[in-house]
Amino acid sequence: MNTIIEPFKIKSVEPIYFTTPEERIRILEEAFYNPFLIAAKDVLIDLLTDSGTSAMSSHQWAGIMEGDESYAGSESFFHFEKTVKEITGMTYIIPTHQGRAAEKILFSITGGKGKFIVSNTLFDTTRANIEFSGAEGIDLLCAEGKLPEIPAPFKGNMDIDALKKVISEKGAANIPLCIITVTNNSGGGQPVSMQNIKEVKKVCTEHNIPLFIDACRFAENCYFIKLREKGYSDKSVREIAKELFSYADGSTMSAKKDAFANIGGFLALHNIELAEQCRNLLIITEGFPTYGGLAGRDLEAISIGLNEVMEEHYLQYRIRSIEYITEKLVAAGVPVMQPAGGHAVYLDAKKFLPHIPVDQYPGQALVGALYIEGGIRGVEIGSLMFGKYDSTKKLIPAQMELVRLAVPRRVYTQSHIDYVTEVIIEVFKKRNRIKGLQIIEESPMLRHFTAKLKSIQ
Ligand SMILES: *Cc1c(COP(=O)(O)O)cnc(C)c1O
C-alpha cells in the first residue's frame, strides 16, 4: 500500500469560513499587507504557524479534565516533570507559559552585554531575548543550509569550523552557551544530524561552553535522523531522542510545537545553580515552580502530547505530508526549499519573484498573493523578519527570502493540502503581476508582527 493515511479519525470538527478574492483584496489592504493583522475568521487555510495550532487528541482532552489545579505540588506537574525527565534525561524541569518565557529566563541570567550566544540558527524570539539582554546572537549554519534548492540530508547542521573560529575570536569566556535549534525552524525546518550534535558537543566541552537544545521539534528531528542517518534506522524515536539530549546541558522547548499543546513550554537543566537562579526568576515572572505560568490541565495535556508525538505512524504521516506538497511544487517548477522540512514548506521568494528587489520584501509580497488567490495565510521569513538597517538606514537584507507555510499538526486533511498546492501553482503562473511592498510603520524589535506596509504601484 503506497498511501500513507492520517493516523487518526476525527471526533470533533470546526468550521472554516469562505471569502471571495475581491473581499480578500480589501481585507489585506486593511491589514496593511501583514498576515498577523488579518482576523483568523477571514483565513481559509491557516498556515501562519504550527505553533499552538495542533489538534489535541481525545486522551489530551481527557487529561484536561483530570488536570490538578493545586497551586503547589499539583499531580499534573509531577506527570509533566516525569515525562520531560524521561525524554530529556535532565534533572531540573521548569515549566513556563511558552518557549520564549524559558528563553527570557535563561538569557536574563546567562546573557548580557559583551556576551555571545552561538547557534546553528536562532529562532526569532530566541534572538530577540538574547539581544534584549544586551548579548549578541551568532548564527553558524552549515554552507548547504544556505542554499534553498540544493538537497542535503541535514541542512540544519552547525558549521563546526565556523564555531571554532568564533570561539577563538570572541573567547570562550564570553560565550555563556551554544544552542542548537532542532529542527532549524528559521532555516527551513531542516534537521540536525546526531553526528553534528556530537561534534558541536566535543568543541563546546573543550572550551567549557554548555550546550543547549532548542527542542521545539525534537521528535520531527529524531525521525529525520532515523530515516537519514546511518545506524539509526532500527532505533525508536524515543531512543534517538534520549541520545540527542544526552549531549546537552540544558534545553528550552515550546510545548506549542511537538507537544501538541495549545500553550506551554519548559526549561530543562542539569546545573543546580543555574536551575535555582532560573526558578527565582520564574517565581517573579511566571509563577510557582510547580506550575510556571500554566494551568494544571495544560501540564497534563503537554505530558500526554509529548508521549504521543514520538509515535512513529504519526511522524511518518507528518513528515510525508510536508514532503508531498514539496514534491508537487517541484514538479510544477515552483522554487521551493529542498528537501522538505519537518513542519513547513518554504517557498523561495527571491527566485519566485525575481522582479521584486529585496528592499521591497518579495517574501511579504508573496504572502499577500497567496492570501488573495486562495485565502491561505503564510508568513515571510526573510528581510521583513530579520532585516536590519545600516547607519544610513539602508536595509541589510536577510540571507534568504522565504515564505513559510507551516502545517498545523493533525488539523488539515489531504484535500486541504491538495488545495494549497493548487493555489501556490496558480499564483506561480501569475507571478509577474505581483508588486513589491514598502514599510510605512514598524517597531524596533520583532517588527514583522506589527509592521504596516503598502503596495508599491
Ligand atoms: C516557537 C519557537 C520558539 C518560541 O516558542 P513560543 O512558545 O512561541 O514562545 C523558540 N524556538 C523555536 C525553534 C520555535 O519554533
Side-chain angles (χ1 to χ4, degrees):
M1 237 54 79
N2 286 331
T3 306
I4 295 166
I5 59 172
E6 285 89 353
F8 49 77
K9 12 180 218 177
I10 298 168
K11 190 184 289 255
S12 177
V13 297
E14 190 183 344
I16 51 179
Y17 299 98
F18 289 81
T19 45
T20 62
E22 293 68 38
E23 287 168 330
R24 293 195 289 266
I25 290 173
R26 180 184 50 78
I27 293 165
L28 188 65
E29 248 174 44
E30 286 171 5
F32 296 97
Y33 294 85
N34 186 337
F36 288 98
L37 305 179
I38 300 174
K41 69 163 193 5
D42 293 330
V43 176
L44 197 59
I45 305 284
D46 205 347
L47 307 181
L48 183 71
T49 177
D50 62 324
S51 177
T53 53
S54 300
M56 290 211 291
S57 66
S58 48
H59 286 285
Q60 283 179 293
W61 283 110
I64 290 271
M65 283 308 295
E66 297 263 336
D68 175 0
E69 302 304 339
S70 305
Y71 191 95
S74 138
E75 197 52 27
S76 298
F77 171 74
F78 295 120
H79 293 164
F80 166 83
E81 186 187 45
K82 179 169 175 280
T83 302
V84 179
K85 275 188 177 176
E86 276 168 5
I87 295 169
T88 65
M90 299 279 166
T91 323
Y92 305 103
I93 312 300
I94 300 170
T96 59
H97 81 278
Q98 287 200 207
R100 73 194 66 185
E103 294 166 353
K104 173 78 169 90
I105 290 170
L106 179 66
F107 294 116
S108 298
I109 293 163
T110 60
K113 223 174 147 45
K115 300 276 171 64
F116 301 88
I117 310 290
V118 288
S119 177
N120 50 346
T121 308
L122 297 162
F123 181 63
D124 57 355
T125 60
T126 323
R127 173 171 286 281
N129 274 303
I130 290 166
E131 291 176 359
F132 189 73
S133 83
E136 205 181 298
I138 304 178
D139 292 342
L140 303 170
L141 187 62
C142 65
E144 60 270 30
K146 295 171 196 160
L147 306 167
E149 284 184 85
I150 309 295
F154 292 104
K155 294 174 78 172
N157 280 358
M158 200 163 173
D159 181 334
I160 305 289
D161 290 331
L163 173 64
K164 289 178 184 164
K165 192 157 164 270
V166 166
I167 295 173
S168 73
E169 276 172 16
K170 308 291 183 193
N174 298 317
I175 304 175
L177 63 93
C178 168
I179 183 161
I180 299 185
T181 314
V182 301
T183 58
N184 185 15
N185 185 358
S186 310
Q190 299 293 323
V192 180
S193 70
M194 195 71 88
Q195 184 62 28
N196 188 251
I197 292 171
K198 271 196 246 182
E199 285 171 22
V200 171
K201 174 65 181 173
K202 188 162 169 279
V203 175
C204 286
T205 305
E206 279 164 20
H207 296 91
N208 239 329
I209 299 170
L211 175 61
F212 275 65
I213 303 287
D214 177 337
C216 292
R217 296 177 184 79
F218 77 97
E220 290 171 6
N221 199 97
C222 290
Y223 192 68
F224 278 120
I225 289 176
K226 183 180 168 95
L227 293 181
R228 296 180 186 172
E229 194 163 351
K230 207 167 157 268
Y232 290 93
S233 59
D234 293 336
K235 295 214 160 105
S236 69
V237 167
R238 189 177 282 277
E239 286 167 332
I240 298 170
K242 200 165 191 157
E243 181 183 343
L244 189 151
F245 285 109
S246 76
Y247 303 116
D249 299 282
S251 180
T252 56
M253 180 165 175
S254 168
K256 301 174 73 172
K257 321 290 169 56
D258 264 357
F260 297 123
N262 301 124
I263 198 73
F266 62 79
L267 185 55
L269 300 163
H270 275 312
N271 182 309
I272 185 164
E273 280 132 58
L274 183 57
E276 273 170 8
Q277 282 176 294
C278 288
R279 277 191 182 136
N280 289 338
L281 199 50
L282 183 87
I283 293 174
I284 305 172
T285 57
E286 294 283 292
F288 188 71
T290 61
Y291 73 86
L294 292 170
R297 53 180 168 269
D298 300 325
L299 292 165
E300 205 65 57
I302 294 167
S303 169
I304 297 165
L306 282 170
N307 282 311
E308 286 178 355
V309 78
M310 291 182 289
E311 214 265 289
E312 290 180 26
H313 280 297
Y314 160 72
L315 285 166
Q316 182 192 36
Y317 139 82
R318 170 76 176 158
I319 300 303
R320 178 59 197 149
S321 60
I322 314 292
E323 196 179 54
Y324 172 85
I325 308 173
T326 304
E327 275 172 14
K328 288 210 153 180
L329 295 179
V330 169
V334 178
V336 49
M337 179 173 258
Q338 289 187 67
H343 67 292
V345 174
Y346 292 74
L347 305 175
D348 184 348
K350 235 188 246 181
K351 287 230 172 77
F352 201 114
L353 301 172
H355 61 286
I356 302 182
V358 287
D359 63 359
Q360 293 182 13
Y361 303 103
Q364 193 77 356
L366 181 52
V367 166
L370 294 171
Y371 177 70
I372 292 172
E373 184 67 34
I376 295 168
R377 173 155 72 171
V379 67
E380 189 250 27
I381 306 230
S383 291
L384 183 66
M385 185 179 273
F386 290 121
K388 297 250 149 94
Y389 293 113
D390 69 11
S391 55
T392 65
K393 259 236 128 191
K394 192 168 162 288
L395 178 79
I396 307 167
Q399 246 160 25
M400 298 187 257
E401 303 296 333
L402 304 175
V403 169
R404 185 187 74 181
L405 302 168
V407 182
R409 295 169 182 77
R410 307 190 292 206
V411 170
Y412 293 117
T413 63
Q414 174 81 35
S415 57
H416 290 121
I417 296 294
D418 282 330
Y419 170 81
V420 168
T421 58
E422 280 169 25
V423 170
I424 299 168
I425 292 166
E426 193 56 33
V427 170
F428 188 60
K429 287 184 191 149
K430 302 178 185 164
R431 63 192 178 279
N432 293 335
R433 290 188 229 160
I434 301 171
K435 296 195 170 77
L437 298 169
Q438 178 189 346
I439 295 178
I440 51 177
E441 222 182 282
E442 62 184 300
S443 66
M445 289 194 119
L446 298 178
R447 65 175 179 172
H448 58 285
F449 285 132
T450 52
K452 294 181 176 173
L453 299 100
K454 69 172 192 190
S455 181
I456 300 171
Q457 293 306 321

